[in-house]
Amino acid sequence: MTRKRERTPPVETPASSLAAAAAPASVEVTPRFLRVGDGYAATLVVTGYPAEVGPAWLEPLLSWPGRLDLALHIDPIPAPVAAGRLRTQRARFESSRRADAAKGKLADPYVEAAADDAADLAERLARGVSKLFRVGLYLTVHARTEAELLEACSQVKAAAASTLIEVQPATWRHLSGWTTTLPLATDSLQMRRTMDTAALAAAFPLASADLPAPLPGDPASTGGVLYGINPDSQGIVWWDRWSQENYNSIVLARSGAGKSYFVKLDVLRNLFQGVRVAVVDPEDEYLRLADAVGGTIVRLGASGVKINPLDLPVGDNRPDVLTRRGLFLHTLITVLLAEAPPPGERAALDRAILQTYRQAGITADPATHHRAAPLLKDLTAVLDADGDPAATQLAARLAPWVHGSFAGLFDGPTTTRPDGHLIVWSLRQLPDELRTVGQLLALDAIWRSVDAPGRAGRSVRRLVVVDEAWLLMRDGEGAKFLFKMSKAGRKRNAGLSVITQDVADVLGTDLGQAVVANAATQVLLKQAPQAIDRVADAFGLTAGERRMLLSARVGRGLLISGPQRTAFEAISSRAEHGLATTKPSDLDDEETEL
């Protein structure tokens, strides 16, 4: 007699219950797609990669708005195996070279490039700088209907092509492709490509073309202004220069690239946050903006507008104020003469400066500093009366600025002492011979307001904008003045913004490079082909960034700050555009509407 053993029902494991709850009811396999439950899916395999990649080169695929599963399968190759494969590959390339040379054929450029890349990779592998990996990249596109799936696959292919990535459908293998992109750590397609460490790091899925957000635990940023839109990710580029290690910025671009437009937007948005702005404007580009926001305009060169370089700072009672004013006059005379005076003339000038102030009743005693300051003609009169031939020679060299064609700016007391939230120093009406001098006088007046002692605890932020800075950069003393402001502005809660289209004058001198090095915020817009090599060397641009700056349209550029860099395109509201544009067609349209 056999006893019938009772069977106990199997205990349902958590894994099986998860599969029952999450797995699709059915999977229908066709050559071109899968029908998974009530949806459709198709897998695309990446078969071709760009020759060079930058950070976040997969961002166009990761930011695609539809449902897309991207799987990156990585299999490290042991160093001995990688070295052996590279040795074999290099031997094949060398064999191809020798065979072509023996037959009298020209060298194949593709073979030459591949051989050079293999040699470079072998060297980095031997030094332990890089490692090799077998990498498979797969994309599964999902849609609700077959027609939508076809359209979605076309869009993904277009997004991949925008970064020079070639994709092919996994025809007859979509089931294997679907399981490959599931979180199962299984590569059922095994269509892989060898990559080194740098290329694989650039493909890291969590990388982004946008600026990094604050780390967990760090306080959120509360300041900053809108710079524009990131064309790679369509994210917002929001930047706070006042949270950097210094508050300076430099904007380099060729003529017509939109640098003044971008800077005017930056000025408007900083004014909105209570920043006091002073602008040195050589071409009257900021006058409409100043009129719109109630700013003050100082038109140097206009009738009746005088600047006395011997003025002492108002309210500055520091004991060395007269000495510092004398040093500035040495700088001014050097700029007027377009060269540093010889030692004899410099000594005579130093004596004459002190004597001129004494004759006006001004000494080192701060109680005398309220008296009327002498003029430049008084200084030349003292030089004439010195009796030293060097002093007489210097007085003769200064005659055009005192009695001649250029005397209109200096032949009277200062007519205006501007103050306000926005001050524009217009240089348009100055002749070319006086542009550099006028720019230096404007910067000196601005510096005196920045350096005023006891200024409300220096809590008010100030931004100094120097447009067309090449006018000062080409002059040694003017470049020194800019360098001084870039170094000392941070301690006075002030930032310097240098804008120029002449890259050679900025990067071709030690002082110009020092100004760039002291700018924590660096903005590059479209560059000329003749200057791109120097710009690329100075800012460490990649090949892709070089191409972007050469072909960038107006208003599009690159923001660099230390290790952080991102592309952006300046955007503006209609009101901002009306104040920032200088295009005659836009201005005509505004007048027509008015």
Side-chain angles (χ1 to χ4, degrees):
M1 179 177 177
T2 59
R3 181 177 294 179
K4 204 169 186 179
R5 184 176 299 176
E6 295 184 358
R7 295 184 180 179
T8 57
V11 179
E12 192 173 10
T13 62
S16 60
S17 62
L18 177 62
S26 63
V27 177
E28 179 183 344
V29 182
T30 72
R32 296 185 298 114
F33 60 86
L34 294 178
R35 185 171 182 178
V36 183
D38 57 352
Y40 293 79
T43 300
L44 303 175
V45 181
V46 176
T47 57
Y49 295 83
E52 296 179 0
V53 295
W57 59 282
L58 288 178
E59 181 64 24
L61 296 176
L62 295 173
S63 60
W64 185 68
R67 181 185 171 188
L68 176 68
D69 296 336
L70 186 148
L72 191 66
H73 291 265
I74 304 170
D75 185 14
I77 302 177
V81 176
R85 292 181 180 178
L86 273 177
R87 193 180 307 113
T88 303
Q89 190 69 15
R90 293 180 65 191
R92 291 174 181 171
F93 290 140
E94 186 62 26
S95 176
S96 298
R97 283 175 168 177
R98 294 184 181 182
D100 289 342
K103 296 177 181 178
K105 294 182 179 180
L106 293 176
D108 187 343
Y110 294 101
V111 174
E112 295 289 330
D116 293 340
D117 291 343
D120 178 65
L121 183 57
E123 181 180 357
R124 288 188 283 119
L125 191 66
R127 295 178 181 272
V129 176
S130 184
K131 294 183 179 180
L132 293 185
F133 302 85
R134 295 285 293 169
V135 178
L137 184 57
Y138 312 102
L139 316 168
T140 296
V141 186
H142 297 266
R144 290 176 297 180
T145 65
E146 185 177 349
E148 290 181 3
L149 179 64
L150 182 61
E151 177 64 23
C153 288
S154 299
Q155 293 179 6
V156 172
K157 289 181 180 179
S162 67
T163 55
L164 303 180
I165 297 175
E166 296 180 7
V167 296
Q168 297 294 334
T171 306
W172 290 106
R173 301 184 67 190
H174 287 287
L175 180 59
S176 299
W178 177 56
T179 58
T180 297
T181 55
L182 291 176
L184 303 176
T186 301
D187 185 359
S188 303
L189 293 177
Q190 291 293 323
M191 298 181 69
R192 299 190 177 186
R193 175 76 172 267
T194 303
M195 288 189 184
D196 64 347
T197 306
L200 182 59
F204 191 62
L206 299 183
S208 172
D210 293 318
L211 293 171
L215 295 174
D218 291 346
S221 177
T222 57
V225 297
L226 175 67
Y227 269 29
I229 296 295
N230 188 330
D232 297 327
S233 66
Q234 298 304 308
I236 292 177
V237 179
W238 190 273
W239 186 251
D240 185 8
R241 69 159 70 220
W242 306 103
S243 65
Q244 308 306 313
E245 58 265 26
N246 64 64
Y247 313 140
N248 305 326
S249 67
I250 185 165
V251 181
L252 296 180
R254 65 183 301 176
S255 178
K259 58 185 182 301
S260 295
Y261 186 95
F262 163 73
V263 173
K264 279 180 271 190
L265 295 178
D266 189 30
V267 167
L268 276 171
R269 292 160 185 172
N270 274 282
L271 285 171
F272 181 77
Q273 297 188 356
V275 178
R276 288 177 171 258
V277 183
V279 181
V280 181
D281 181 13
E283 296 296 335
D284 283 359
E285 294 190 58
Y286 295 79
L287 300 190
R288 287 186 299 112
L289 187 152
D291 288 336
V293 301
T296 304
I297 301 173
V298 182
R299 290 180 169 87
L300 297 182
S303 177
V305 178
K306 312 289 183 183
I307 296 291
N308 181 13
L310 280 77
D311 281 338
L312 296 179
V314 177
D316 191 347
N317 296 322
R318 287 175 288 187
D320 62 339
V321 62
L322 193 60
T323 302
R324 287 187 285 109
R325 201 68 208 151
L327 294 175
F328 170 74
L329 289 173
H330 278 277
T331 301
L332 176 67
I333 298 302
T334 300
V335 173
L336 291 177
L337 302 178
E339 63 177 1
E345 294 184 7
R346 290 181 68 88
L349 175 62
D350 197 61
R351 294 194 304 270
I353 290 172
L354 297 178
Q355 180 63 24
T356 302
Y357 278 112
R358 280 195 295 266
Q359 289 182 358
I362 299 174
T363 63
D365 184 3
T368 64
H369 293 176
H370 68 280
R371 296 173 180 171
L375 302 176
L376 191 61
K377 65 181 181 180
D378 300 323
L379 178 62
T380 56
V382 172
L383 287 170
D384 274 327
D386 187 278
D388 187 346
T392 305
Q393 176 67 20
L394 181 58
R397 297 177 68 185
L398 290 176
W401 311 94
V402 179
H403 309 291
S405 305
F406 307 146
L409 189 61
F410 308 103
D411 59 357
T414 299
T415 56
T416 178
R417 299 183 184 276
D419 191 18
H421 60 284
L422 173 63
I423 303 172
V424 176
W425 293 81
S426 170
L427 310 181
R428 179 67 178 271
Q429 300 185 49
L430 286 174
D432 291 341
E433 294 80 3
L434 283 173
R435 286 288 184 94
T436 305
V437 178
Q439 202 166 30
L440 183 62
L441 291 175
L443 282 175
D444 173 62
I446 293 169
W447 177 251
R448 281 186 285 173
S449 66
V450 170
D451 193 40
R455 177 171 57 80
R458 305 193 188 280
S459 60
V460 178
R461 292 172 175 171
R462 293 179 181 262
L463 178 61
V464 181
V465 179
V466 184
D467 207 343
E468 302 299 346
W470 60 270
L471 291 171
L472 272 181
M473 288 294 186
R474 66 185 180 184
D475 177 80
E477 294 299 325
K480 289 180 182 178
F481 201 87
L482 278 183
F483 175 66
K484 168 190 170 184
M485 185 172 289
S486 68
K487 290 281 286 186
R490 183 187 63 83
K491 299 177 182 178
R492 294 158 177 82
N493 206 16
L496 173 67
S497 185
V498 176
I499 303 99
T500 184
Q501 64 185 11
D502 199 328
V503 177
D505 283 336
V506 176
L507 301 180
T509 63
D510 293 339
L511 286 174
Q513 292 181 6
V515 171
V516 173
N518 281 280
T521 302
Q522 301 165 348
V523 176
L524 304 177
L525 301 177
K526 185 173 184 178
Q527 300 295 319
Q530 296 82 0
I532 190 63
D533 289 338
R534 182 170 289 184
V535 173
D537 292 340
F539 294 93
L541 302 181
T542 65
E545 290 169 343
R546 287 166 55 108
R547 289 192 295 268
M548 189 270 286
L549 292 178
L550 284 173
S551 60
R553 62 188 183 191
V554 176
R556 180 173 290 189
L558 187 67
L559 169 64
I560 302 174
S561 181
Q564 303 178 15
R565 55 182 64 203
T566 184
F568 74 95
E569 183 171 1
I571 59 172
S572 62
S573 67
R574 185 175 180 181
E576 288 176 325
H577 177 76
L579 297 177
T581 184
T582 55
K583 293 177 64 176
S585 58
D586 293 342
L587 298 178
D588 292 341
D589 292 341
E590 280 191 27
E591 293 178 359
T592 302
E593 291 179 5
L594 293 175

